[in-house]
Amino acid sequence: MCFNKNDQLYGGNAWLTQVATDDIIVYKYLIKKKLLFFNKYYAPVINRFSYKKGKTYYSPLNIAIHYHEKNSDNFAITVEEGFHSFIHHIYVFRFLSKYGIKFRRDFVIGKFIIPKGTTYIKNNEQIVSDRIKFIGVIPLKDLDR
């Protein structure tokens, strides 16, 4: 998943990132793999990163700024590294639909916390953070799509 945001500098400064003042609930789509005694959940996009329930993970944010024109205050922000997630589970389904990805049998919606004190950047649908904690899976019957 790639995060993009268009913005404009105000007075020569832009606040690109924020620090969470409270825990933030976010959502990701994951692949569930049934093993003999437990389930394993992993991100399908990048390196099939595996998440363990209750564990907090860290990854530095890698933010790039691309100016639309030389000497312009208008720019686009791209974040390639960090934990990409959605601010509401409905955006997971929109993302999958937009890219023609069918919600498969082994897909699940994971509920995560971006812990208080975490650095993050967000747009209207996505949030990318440097820390994230997997708290569980939301049953599909509990989701409104």
Side-chain angles (χ1 to χ4, degrees):
M1 173 178 8
C2 186
F3 173 94
N4 292 295
K5 179 178 182 178
N6 290 314
D7 219 328
Q8 186 171 3
L9 291 171
Y10 298 100
N13 294 309
W15 296 101
L16 300 179
T17 61
Q18 301 174 52
V19 175
T21 56
D22 293 303
D23 288 349
I24 302 169
I25 301 293
V26 294
Y27 305 89
K28 297 172 76 68
Y29 69 100
L30 303 171
I31 293 179
K32 174 182 164 182
K33 183 173 183 180
K34 270 190 168 301
L35 301 174
L36 190 56
F37 297 109
F38 60 94
N39 294 324
K40 184 175 181 179
Y41 300 96
Y42 56 93
V45 180
I46 305 293
N47 298 329
R48 298 170 84 85
F49 187 84
S50 179
Y51 289 99
K52 184 176 180 180
K53 190 174 176 181
K55 184 173 179 181
T56 302
Y57 298 89
Y58 174 79
S59 173
L61 294 178
N62 182 358
I63 300 172
I65 299 174
H66 312 280
Y67 287 90
H68 296 299
E69 301 170 14
K70 278 189 174 182
N71 302 320
S72 168
D73 286 347
N74 294 317
F75 62 92
I77 301 165
T78 305
V79 183
E80 295 293 334
E81 289 183 41
F83 296 102
H84 293 66
S85 46
F86 295 92
I87 59 177
H88 192 279
H89 68 266
I90 198 72
Y91 296 129
V92 174
F93 296 106
R94 286 186 188 168
F95 175 83
L96 295 173
S97 176
K98 178 180 176 181
Y99 290 100
I101 303 169
K102 294 187 185 208
F103 199 85
R104 303 183 335 212
R105 228 184 212 167
D106 57 347
F107 276 11
V108 294
I109 302 296
K111 188 173 183 180
F112 290 78
I113 291 175
I114 294 175
K116 178 180 178 179
T118 298
T119 301
Y120 69 93
I121 184 169
K122 74 183 223 178
N123 62 19
N124 294 336
E125 296 182 359
Q126 298 176 40
I127 189 166
V128 184
S129 59
D130 65 359
R131 285 190 297 155
I132 199 164
K133 181 179 183 178
F134 180 41
I135 57 174
V137 171
I138 303 173
L140 287 180
K141 65 179 179 57
D142 294 344
L143 298 174
D144 50 340
R145 293 191 270 172

